[in-house]
Amino acid sequence: MPDKVSTLLLFGATGDLARRMLLPSLYGLDSDGLLPDDLRIIGTARTELDDDAFRGRAREALETYLPAGFAQTDVVERFLKRLSYVALDATQPASFAKLTQTIGDINRGVAIFLSTAPSLFSPTIAGLEAAGLTSARVRMALEKPLGSDLISSREINDSVAAAFPEERTFRIDHYLGKETVQNLLALRFANLMFEPLWNSSHIDHVQISVAETVGLEGRGDYYDGAGALRDMVQNHMLQLLALVAMEPPTNFDATGVRDEKVKILRSLRPIKAEDIDTHCVTGQFTRGAIDGETVPGYIEELGRDSTTETFVAVKAHVDNWRWAGVPFYLRTGKRMPKRHTEIFIQFKSVPYSIFAARGARTQPNKLIIGLQPEETIRLLVMAKTPGLDRDGIRLREVPLDLGLANAFADRRRRIAYERLLLDLIEGDPTLFVRRDEVEAQWAWIDGIRAAWSAAGVAPKSYAAGTWGPSAAIALTERDGVSWHE
Ligand code: BG6
């Protein structure tokens, strides 16, 4: 039930996520009049700063990361007035007292956004508890990484659960805040025409690609311990897969949606050591060029030797009645030729072509949901090429383009965190990940990593600016499928 809070507490407020995403998102909400009038935003981190210095940093973040022309002086000033700062060493329980004092009456509701090093999770929760900041009017949002496998994720979840029950725990997967991801649900469940075809009788295969051009972006220490499988597949890509594959929920609410997603995540077929060669490819980029610019290899960028994968492709199966026999090909990598995030659904061919005798070839229909760089929804259908057909009929694949950019040209495209922060402030957990989902995700990912170890998998090299190791192409071509690029 929506239940607005009047304080938002940002742990890690001097960090990169706060600067790039959280403060600009909160500004965006404020400028649209969506933040509660009395909402105060308290930043906290270890660095000693006073309120003015924090506001100065926030102003700089807005200047750097908001789109040109979006920052308006009066709104910026109003926004900055909401901010204050408390320096805090999470390992010192006594330092939480200042926080309690600054927050004042917690009965007016507090939402905490925790984005700190994993080692600080438990001490932070303990400090909040000791300071009386875990009461029924306090909710907690958690940003990844929340563990590196099922066991460590359970430990973190247990320590959070000791202070915050599941209904007050909001686990963030920022992909769920993306407009096109939510649009996938509208497409599937607000239209009659897709759902009858949305199964193994009519869908040949699904591809989910998240290609990035960026490399380590200064996050080497975290990334090298994670790798592409844990950084991207465990969370974002499995959430996308679950939304594509799930049954219609009874309601668009936290229980309805998450109950259906978790069933899919639990139906993922484990990948065993003997399946690795045919179901999985890992890669690590070497020096290459992107957009004509030379970029260093992973080892060079990291500054030390490593066998961490920066690319992974997996052939997954959802073992249930609806999806039996339909491969879900997942692929993600750093330093790919272009930024390209999409869900590609290929339908089966028509059962019989009445045009074949007239020389025409039909292609199976495809539905392409583009997330980045542009938000698009495109259905590829067959159409007749204009003409008198004296030499036979010519058919061609043409796109039925939903043209979201034009249809909603009057709407500002929001940062994914805007949606998630507003839902957190208002208390709607629908777009946050429940513990059972996270655990099902980790269980499947742990299985793959165990299979890698058993099979002695080492990442294959690929040059920066290419689509990964050639084995990734073979992974789908073996099934007669090409990656859509
Ligand atoms: C993060 C990963 O969760 O998602 C990053 O840690 C990755 O490595 C990022 O770059 C991608 O997010 P987006 O929204 O840019 O696709």
Side-chain angles (χ1 to χ4, degrees):
M1 190 182 295
D3 176 16
K4 292 185 188 176
V5 297
S6 66
T7 300
L8 176 65
L9 190 54
L10 297 180
F11 277 84
T14 54
D16 211 42
L17 184 73
R19 275 162 36 81
R20 282 171 186 256
M21 298 288 172
L22 305 183
L23 292 166
S25 296
L26 289 164
Y27 170 85
L29 293 170
D30 202 4
S31 81
D32 290 344
L34 293 170
L35 294 182
D37 289 342
D38 61 348
L39 184 83
R40 290 181 311 145
I41 301 167
I42 304 176
T44 170
R46 195 190 279 258
T47 318
E48 288 292 340
L49 295 175
D50 61 15
D51 290 348
D52 280 345
F54 180 57
R55 289 188 187 125
R57 287 187 179 213
R59 184 192 299 279
E60 206 187 332
L62 299 183
E63 283 163 4
T64 313
Y65 295 108
L66 285 177
F70 185 41
Q72 284 176 322
T73 315
D74 53 333
V75 185
V76 171
E77 294 313 318
R78 184 179 78 206
F79 175 70
L80 294 179
K81 278 203 193 112
R82 294 178 183 273
L83 304 186
S84 57
Y85 184 84
V86 176
L88 180 141
D89 177 354
T91 60
Q92 302 297 317
S95 58
F96 284 82
K98 176 81 196 308
L99 209 50
T100 318
Q101 207 185 335
T102 309
I103 292 171
D105 181 7
I106 59 169
N107 290 324
R108 293 176 58 218
V110 180
I112 301 174
F113 189 110
L114 197 55
S115 110
T116 48
S119 58
L120 292 179
F121 265 85
S122 296
T124 304
I125 304 281
L128 289 168
E129 203 166 16
L133 288 173
T134 56
S135 79
R137 291 289 286 126
V138 184
R139 62 183 73 117
M140 166 67 94
L142 303 164
E143 181 55 84
K144 68 169 242 205
L146 296 179
S148 53
D149 56 13
L150 181 57
I151 291 180
S152 53
S153 132
R154 278 197 176 137
E155 277 166 15
I156 290 177
N157 281 318
D158 284 344
S159 77
V160 174
F164 296 92
E166 184 62 30
E167 63 275 16
R168 287 195 279 121
T169 302
F170 289 59
R171 286 178 206 81
I172 292 180
D173 184 317
H174 79 274
Y175 267 52
L176 297 182
K178 290 184 191 275
E179 197 63 53
T180 345
V181 174
Q182 295 157 46
N183 222 333
L184 171 62
L185 297 183
L187 191 75
R188 286 192 62 192
F189 304 126
N191 293 292
L192 181 70
M193 54 197 292
F194 295 109
E195 212 42 33
L197 303 179
W198 210 261
N199 53 53
S200 62
S201 305
H202 303 286
I203 289 184
D204 182 78
H205 73 270
V206 176
Q207 298 180 23
I208 302 177
S209 292
V210 182
E212 300 183 276
T213 53
V214 294
L216 282 176
E217 297 181 294
R219 302 157 72 222
D221 283 342
Y222 153 72
Y223 190 86
D224 197 54
L229 185 72
R230 290 186 280 188
D231 184 48
M232 295 298 290
V233 182
Q234 184 273 335
N235 40 20
H236 311 319
M237 298 186 77
L238 287 186
Q239 283 292 318
L240 295 181
L241 182 151
L243 292 171
V244 171
M246 73 182 188
E247 296 299 314
T250 30
N251 287 305
F252 185 60
D253 63 18
T255 304
V257 172
R258 300 190 295 181
D259 279 356
E260 295 307 333
K261 279 193 294 172
V262 78
K263 284 187 212 161
I264 295 297
L265 296 165
R266 288 189 185 135
S267 312
L268 286 166
R269 185 187 303 168
I271 294 180
K272 306 210 170 72
E274 59 268 29
D275 306 321
I276 285 294
D277 282 350
T278 49
H279 286 67
C280 222
V281 173
T282 61
Q284 188 188 78
F285 66 84
T286 55
R287 174 176 281 269
I290 297 176
D291 275 339
E293 217 171 280
T294 306
V295 294
Y298 180 73
I299 303 282
E300 267 172 281
E301 204 177 330
L302 184 67
R304 57 175 186 266
D305 233 3
S306 166
T307 54
T308 296
E309 81 288 355
T310 61
F311 172 95
V312 62
V314 185
K315 175 174 159 183
H317 282 96
V318 176
D319 278 341
N320 68 11
W321 194 304
R322 187 191 277 252
W323 295 111
V326 179
F328 285 72
Y329 300 101
L330 314 179
R331 173 177 68 161
T332 183
K334 300 274 186 204
R335 295 290 193 211
M336 308 260 96
K338 59 178 184 185
R339 182 160 158 83
H340 167 83
T341 308
E342 72 168 27
I343 300 169
F344 173 90
I345 293 156
Q346 179 159 324
F347 292 87
K348 294 198 163 162
S349 301
V350 290
Y352 172 76
S353 171
I354 61 165
F355 302 106
R358 300 276 202 112
R361 291 183 38 193
T362 53
Q363 301 283 342
N365 297 131
K366 288 131 195 156
L367 177 67
I368 306 166
I369 299 159
L371 275 66
Q372 283 154 171
E374 265 108 47
E375 298 179 345
T376 53
I377 299 183
R378 187 171 291 158
L379 182 64
L380 298 185
V381 295
M382 297 308 294
K384 184 177 136 355
T385 308
L388 299 177
D389 308 329
R390 296 304 93 183
D391 302 325
I393 294 181
R394 297 272 174 273
L395 298 177
R396 209 176 80 197
E397 201 172 49
V398 289
L400 272 182
D401 204 325
L402 257 63
L404 294 178
N406 292 336
F408 302 107
D410 56 332
R411 295 298 171 97
R412 179 168 70 78
R413 313 319 285 163
R414 293 179 184 279
I415 307 171
Y417 282 96
E418 289 188 47
R419 170 67 194 243
L420 299 179
L421 283 164
L422 191 61
D423 285 354
L424 170 67
I425 290 165
E426 296 187 349
D428 180 352
T430 309
L431 297 177
F432 294 82
V433 186
R434 210 166 56 189
R435 177 170 181 162
D436 51 1
E437 294 178 75
V438 176
E439 295 194 347
Q441 290 170 183
W442 275 122
W444 191 69
I445 294 293
D446 282 2
I448 296 179
R449 293 185 57 242
W452 285 354
S453 309
V457 168
K460 298 177 169 52
S461 303
Y462 64 96
T466 64
W467 289 101
S470 54
I473 299 173
L475 180 82
T476 57
E477 293 292 340
R478 223 178 279 129
D479 300 341
V481 168
S482 301
W483 289 109
H484 184 254
E485 273 147 21

